[in-house]
Amino acid sequence: MTRDRAFADAPRSPRVFARAAMPVVSRREFLRLAGAAGAVTLVPRRVGWPQGGAVLPAIPAYRSWEDAYRREWRWDRVVRGTHTSANCIAACAWNLFVRDGIVWREEQSAPYAASNASVPDWNPRGCQKGACCASLSVGPTRVRYPLRRVGPRGSGRWQRLAWDAALDEIAGAIVDVLQRRGGSGVLCELGGNFDYGPTLAATLRFFRQIGAPVTDPTAHTGDLPVGGVITLGAGFTGGSSDDWFRSSYLVLWSFNPAVTRIPDAHFLSEARYRGATVVTVAPDYNPTAIHSDLWLAPRVGTDAALALAACHVIVEEGLYAAEYVREQTDLPLLVRADTQRFLRQADVVPGGSEAVFAFWDEAGNRLQWAPGSQGSAVRSIRLPAGVRPALEATAEVRLAGGETVRATTVFSLLRRRLQAFRPEDGARITGIAPAAIRRFAREFAAAPAALILVGYGGCKHYHSDLIHRAQLLLASLTGNLGRPGGGWHSGGYINLEGLGLVAGLDRLGTVPLLWLAARSFWSPEKVGAEFLGPYISSTLFHTLHGGLADVRLDAAHGDPELPRPPRAYFDEAIAAGHFPVGPPPDAGPPEVIVSVCGNVLRHSRMGQRVRDVLFRTARLVVEIGFRMSETARWADIFLPAAGWYEKVGVKYLVGLVPYLTLADRAVAPAGESKPEWEIFSLLARAVAREARRRGVSEVAGFRNELCRIDNLDERFSDRRRFGPREDEGVLRYILSTSSASKGIGLEGVRRRGGAVRVRDLGPESPTSNFYCEYRADEPVVPLRDFVEKKRPYPTLTRRQQFYIDHPWFLELGEALPAFKPPPPSGGRHPFVLTSGHARWSIHSIWRDHPIMLRLQRGEPVVLLNEADARARGIRDHDLVRVWNDIDAFVAPAARSGNIQPGPEHLYHTWAPFQYTW
């Protein structure tokens, strides 16, 4: 079978029709394709997707191309849809106009109401990627039938396969490996392209039930704001985007919303019309910077130095919010001079707690124990009446053993640290003039509400934690965290407890009891296997089993400031079991790999090494998806998943727009593709059948838990409650058991434009860090509970924690926020390669789509500063070879005045085959 036939086969007419109806061909070309005799083959009236390719779609009798044109604005029905599995956090509602069994066109819906009359609404929401999904779903890379590889991996040679045969082959391999090695022998490579409905629920439920690990997609893509986790105990702290409008000073730090948050960017323009100042901090003069009031362009990787220089100005000029700092932060807490660790109650009081911390009360001139500490009986950080923690103090403290030790406040230590970051020092590091740094610091401090918006691009830096900690220090010193229109927003997600229940529990029970169980299940205090479920750290896993250790742990490519070799820290973390990594070091890599909801060989760092080590040695690689991606090319079996308009689900709920957004089933799945719930249901049946045939009952999961697999079909379906085609029932269950969707229901979302304001923000979890009361008539402002209710933060000190006395942080000189230059990964070379999210794709999904390619140069392009290009005789469109000590690629050059001399820029997600090698 040829490659073209394997991909397209029978449903050719819908693809040609969709391309014509957009339209994306000229009138002359349309006439040439149609012709007088051939026009009747162009448009299907009712697509009965063929089973086995035996039945072709019925063809309407259009007389000419004019008939198709005149009927463009007629449709059979309108369905509410969105793009659930695109890893786009916009959550946009669309109207899908269905005609003759296909999605004829899609248009933005406008169901969003303003929180109140003082802020704008969210309408309209959408972008050019969403506007062409009907075309994408029938495009040339769409896979409609199960495929088996018949040539070498990556050769692109496939053979069509029946579903039963494919499932039996996969089940046989899974059961064999589970019987011999347990769950450690199977791996789910989970990408970020999932929903909050049956797709993700099915994936997590299946792999948890067989005891197999699932890689964390946040670590894959480097999207975790680690500095937020360290400082606040919560990395994802974003509020709603209508709160941007209330800010008086907006700082877009490594954040380019005109490109990456198109549906929300209007709030920035509206804030400027209201009088707000907008600042962009980015090394390139990007599409957002051109609409800003101030553009600060630090050298790549020096953002922490800019933030610390601004903090220096604020501290030295007394512009900080002293009372806020005393109560909300750890800056008044005392640190021992001998150990550089916090002064603890156990140091002073025999039998005292290791988690109760001290400050010096300048009002009473005595030592006090901070209320609300992790080991304190007081569950509030509210300071007692008459107590005033000193920000700068040094005290001689008598310890429990009788000796005396000197202790100093964190604030005093911070002031010393900031002496190295005067604006003149910051200018030498960042390249930004001292006057500009002072202007930025003073304006930020003087603003009634200053808000730092950080994009996920900043998370990709080696020292991203230091960058975020310095940004948070700037926001905290000025009292902006927890303030309407102010703070530090990194993006938060609203939880659906029902999703966690379906993913994490076999027996689902009754709704009221489950709702209570869900609140406990998602509790952020639970950090054991019950909460972690099947997740493992993909970063550590790929280092250990994916062939990345030789590069990642090589001191030549690592941080030259590390006191010990990188491998020493890695080995210590693995030995201590800080993070689960799936198969232990001596067990070898997994033998069966299932890739779902992503493109791991594209979105993982050094994906080609993961391919050549992990994938090459695997016995079986399975791809579950709707299109042929780079990862799919290296699979052994491809199971085609239904497209976004062909199955029911809900978009994952983002704090930016606190609405439940529905993706309804508009048309039947193309070819023989199936929704993921059906795929995993059938696979569970096949595994159970194979286990019974072999006499295998229980196997050991990768956490050494016992997993019964001979009744996996019963377990997965909850005793036949949710069969293979009950994905809509699963979604109804999720909505009915989740506080955010309580009382809305599936029909309610359908009736009300496909998007309904949530009822609640859901329980707190590692990705849901709002910590505020929710009101439907107010924008969402994260962290208000800590400021207004004096709730303790989820950190060790139960405050915003800027001093980390962990031995590693002390060893590295990072106990306080610091600046460290980015390491010369890949060797020392004259250029630094940067990247960013592109306007014309959401990750790799649209990167080879013809419509999107026509809106740009259509291939990877390396942006060079004009002066750098002239000095090397490089003209526009010349091919350039970009290389370092690890690898190389060849691509056309584009001369640009928008970037500084020194960096090169390449927008991300291009597939390897799109480069000139």
Side-chain angles (χ1 to χ4, degrees):
M1 177 177 289
T2 66
R3 184 172 185 267
D4 187 61
R5 182 169 175 77
F7 280 74
D9 205 62
R12 286 298 188 93
S13 294
R15 182 167 61 133
V16 176
F17 163 72
R19 289 171 61 88
M22 292 301 169
V24 293
V25 296
S26 66
R27 179 178 180 275
R28 183 184 301 275
E29 180 68 4
F30 192 107
L31 290 171
R32 186 187 69 78
L33 290 173
V40 293
T41 66
L42 189 62
V43 186
R45 178 172 53 226
R46 182 175 294 105
V47 179
W49 293 108
Q51 300 299 313
V55 180
L56 291 175
I59 305 299
Y62 288 113
R63 298 169 299 173
S64 65
W65 70 270
E66 288 94 340
D67 281 0
Y69 178 80
R70 292 185 183 113
R71 299 182 191 181
E72 180 176 2
W73 301 102
R74 301 179 185 175
W75 48 85
D76 300 330
R77 65 186 188 280
V78 180
V79 180
R80 311 303 186 186
T82 191
H83 314 108
T84 55
S85 302
N87 198 14
C88 161
I89 65 171
C92 306
W94 289 76
N95 288 327
L96 309 180
F97 297 86
V98 181
R99 176 173 157 194
D100 296 328
I102 65 170
V103 176
W104 174 272
R105 62 183 297 112
E106 55 250 278
E107 290 183 355
Q108 294 160 281
S109 178
Y112 307 97
S115 296
N116 57 51
S118 69
V119 293
D121 60 40
W122 284 271
N123 297 304
R125 298 192 66 80
C127 68
Q128 74 277 52
K129 281 83 69 176
C132 71
C133 275
S135 172
L136 180 74
S137 65
V138 293
T141 59
R142 177 67 190 272
V143 180
R144 298 172 173 86
Y145 306 99
L147 302 175
R148 178 196 283 127
R149 175 179 58 84
V150 294
R153 281 182 179 150
S155 65
R157 295 170 58 190
W158 301 91
Q159 182 182 47
R160 185 167 163 181
L161 190 64
W163 267 102
D164 287 346
L167 294 170
D168 287 344
E169 184 173 338
I170 298 168
I174 289 177
V175 174
D176 178 65
V177 172
L178 291 177
Q179 186 177 11
R180 288 186 291 105
R181 295 184 51 187
S184 293
V186 180
L187 175 74
C188 171
E189 288 278 17
L190 179 65
N193 302 330
F194 51 74
D195 67 351
Y196 265 15
T199 295
L200 182 60
T203 304
L204 297 181
R205 184 175 180 85
F206 177 85
F207 288 102
R208 179 191 58 79
Q209 289 183 334
I210 66 171
V214 176
T215 53
D216 172 20
T218 304
H220 263 316
T221 55
D223 279 354
L224 177 62
V226 178
V229 177
I230 293 171
T231 306
L232 305 172
F236 296 99
T237 61
S240 56
S241 51
D242 57 347
D243 188 47
W244 304 356
F245 178 77
R246 304 194 294 182
S247 177
S248 48
Y249 201 81
L250 285 146
V251 182
L252 315 178
W253 212 314
S254 297
F255 184 47
N256 188 10
V259 168
T260 63
R261 296 289 182 273
I262 293 173
D264 296 290
H266 67 89
F267 285 108
L268 300 173
S269 300
E270 289 159 338
R272 288 190 72 205
Y273 282 124
R274 192 184 61 82
T277 297
V278 175
V279 179
T280 291
V281 182
D284 60 328
Y285 193 54
N286 58 48
T288 300
I290 64 177
H291 298 291
S292 299
D293 300 287
L294 177 64
W295 173 45
L296 300 175
R299 295 188 181 105
V300 175
T302 65
D303 303 69
L306 171 61
L308 292 173
C311 290
H312 171 92
V313 174
I314 289 169
V315 169
E316 292 304 314
E317 296 185 6
L319 305 178
Y320 55 89
E323 299 310 311
Y324 179 98
V325 170
R326 295 179 206 276
E327 178 189 74
Q328 293 289 314
T329 77
D330 68 342
L331 297 182
L333 299 186
L334 293 171
V335 175
R336 293 176 51 162
D338 56 344
T339 64
Q340 300 303 308
R341 302 195 72 210
F342 281 117
L343 180 67
R344 289 162 161 82
Q345 190 182 59
D347 297 335
V348 180
V349 180
S353 172
E354 283 282 344
V356 172
F357 306 93
F359 60 78
W360 189 259
D361 176 18
E362 63 184 17
N365 197 30
R366 59 175 181 166
L367 195 71
Q368 282 273 17
W369 302 113
S373 296
Q374 189 178 84
S376 173
V378 179
R379 298 304 179 199
S380 171
I381 61 173
R382 188 185 303 276
L383 296 171
V387 172
R388 194 167 191 263
L391 290 180
E392 297 197 73
T394 298
E396 298 291 332
V397 181
R398 186 177 181 84
L399 303 182
E403 66 272 30
T404 300
V405 67
R406 176 170 293 185
T408 304
T409 64
V410 175
F411 190 90
S412 296
L413 298 176
L414 175 66
R415 186 187 286 273
R416 295 177 203 168
R417 167 64 59 88
L418 293 178
Q419 293 309 306
F421 294 97
R422 296 172 304 160
E424 290 73 19
D425 301 310
R428 284 192 292 272
I429 298 170
T430 66
I432 299 174
I437 294 175
R438 288 190 172 91
R439 171 189 168 184
F440 171 56
R442 291 165 180 166
E443 290 180 352
F444 191 96
L451 173 60
I452 298 175
L453 298 173
V454 297
Y456 294 129
C459 301
K460 275 70 170 176
H461 287 275
Y462 178 84
H463 288 305
S464 68
D465 60 327
L466 297 179
I467 294 173
H468 290 151
R469 290 171 67 193
Q471 292 169 344
L472 281 160
L473 179 62
L474 177 60
S476 181
L477 285 173
T478 51
N480 277 291
L481 294 175
R483 175 189 294 179
W488 182 84
H489 289 193
S490 60
Y493 299 85
I494 301 169
N495 266 329
L496 292 181
E497 302 96 308
L499 172 62
L501 293 174
V502 178
L505 300 176
D506 283 4
R507 301 287 293 270
L508 297 180
T510 59
V511 170
L513 292 178
L514 280 177
W515 188 84
L516 293 175
R519 306 294 288 198
S520 173
F521 179 83
W522 284 107
S523 169
E525 300 299 330
K526 295 194 174 184
V527 294
E530 179 188 13
F531 176 77
L532 292 172
Y535 279 120
I536 61 171
S537 166
S538 56
T539 304
L540 293 181
F541 173 82
H542 281 165
T543 303
L544 186 64
H545 294 296
L548 305 188
D550 291 344
V551 175
R552 279 185 172 167
L553 304 182
D554 186 343
H557 303 303
D559 185 353
E561 298 189 25
L562 289 178
R564 292 183 283 157
R567 185 173 289 276
Y569 297 98
F570 179 79
D571 291 343
E572 183 179 333
I574 296 296
H578 292 319
F579 301 96
V581 293
D586 57 351
E591 299 177 38
V592 175
I593 301 173
V594 182
S595 171
V596 189
C597 298
N599 185 4
V600 61
L601 296 186
R602 179 58 196 83
H603 68 235
S604 175
R605 295 173 180 85
M606 293 181 281
Q608 74 277 14
R609 292 176 181 265
V610 175
R611 176 196 69 201
D612 293 341
V613 174
L614 185 63
F615 276 48
R616 192 177 299 279
T617 59
R619 167 181 168 181
L620 179 68
V621 178
V622 180
E623 168 73 13
I624 300 177
F626 80 97
R627 59 184 292 273
M628 185 57 63
S629 65
E630 177 65 13
T631 303
R633 288 180 57 232
W634 294 87
D636 301 302
I637 293 179
F638 191 114
L639 298 181
W644 303 321
Y645 296 165
E646 302 165 0
K647 61 187 176 186
V648 68
V650 288
K651 184 75 176 179
Y652 49 69
L653 280 65
V654 293
L656 289 173
V657 49
Y659 274 72
L660 180 74
T661 309
L662 174 67
D664 215 345
R665 182 185 290 109
V667 295
E672 294 180 4
S673 61
K674 300 178 184 297
E676 284 84 353
W677 181 267
E678 183 176 356
I679 292 174
F680 281 109
S681 295
L682 297 176
L683 185 56
R685 287 183 181 179
V687 168
R689 186 168 57 246
E690 180 65 14
R692 291 192 292 267
R693 187 185 72 80
R694 296 185 182 215
V696 179
S697 176
E698 289 184 334
V699 297
F702 81 102
R703 298 184 193 276
N704 296 317
E705 73 277 23
L706 288 179
C707 302
R708 189 173 176 185
I709 62 171
D710 62 340
N711 67 342
L712 187 61
D713 49 350
E714 294 287 326
R715 293 176 61 207
F716 188 88
S717 65
D718 190 19
R719 297 162 295 166
R720 305 184 185 277
R721 180 179 183 180
F722 298 116
R725 300 198 175 184
E726 289 296 322
D727 53 339
E728 185 168 311
V730 174
L731 180 58
R732 291 180 186 276
Y733 177 85
I734 291 172
L735 297 180
S736 68
T737 54
S738 300
S739 54
S741 53
K742 185 169 50 180
I744 296 176
L746 183 56
E747 295 304 327
V749 188
R750 283 171 171 161
R751 287 193 306 267
R752 295 158 68 180
V756 179
R757 181 99 183 202
V758 297
R759 301 291 190 258
D760 189 83
L761 296 177
E764 293 144 10
S765 80
T767 58
S768 180
N769 305 148
F770 298 103
Y771 298 103
C772 64
E773 284 189 1
Y774 173 73
R775 289 179 50 179
D777 60 351
E778 285 289 333
V780 177
V781 179
L783 311 183
R784 293 184 75 165
D785 282 357
F786 305 126
V787 177
E788 298 171 2
K789 298 182 178 180
K790 315 306 179 187
R791 176 180 175 181
Y793 290 79
T795 61
L796 176 65
T797 62
R798 292 305 194 242
R799 285 153 174 77
Q800 298 169 26
Q801 190 160 340
F802 295 102
Y803 191 85
I804 311 298
D805 67 350
H806 186 281
W808 280 9
F809 286 73
L810 293 171
E811 181 182 8
L812 296 173
E814 298 177 10
L816 282 167
F819 162 72
K820 289 186 176 181
S825 301
R828 296 189 179 276
H829 297 278
F831 290 101
V832 175
L833 181 65
T834 62
S835 185
H837 285 248
R839 186 193 297 270
W840 306 280
S841 72
I842 299 170
H843 305 290
S844 60
I845 295 177
W846 277 265
R847 265 313 197 191
D848 55 2
H849 187 54
I851 293 178
M852 290 295 103
L853 292 174
R854 289 172 185 151
L855 300 180
Q856 52 185 307
R857 296 200 183 195
E859 59 185 338
V861 173
V862 179
L863 296 174
L864 291 170
N865 176 270
E866 292 272 6
D868 287 337
R870 282 196 305 270
R872 288 157 180 80
I874 298 173
R875 297 170 300 177
D876 211 40
H877 294 290
D878 280 354
L879 291 178
V880 295
R881 181 173 181 265
V882 182
W883 61 277
N884 61 15
D885 297 353
I886 299 175
D887 218 325
F889 66 87
V890 175
R895 293 169 57 154
S896 172
N898 289 1
I899 60 175
Q900 307 170 18
E904 302 169 339
H905 192 80
L906 176 73
Y907 284 104
H908 81 333
T909 73
W910 296 102
F913 75 85
Q914 294 175 294
Y915 287 86
T916 302
W917 294 94

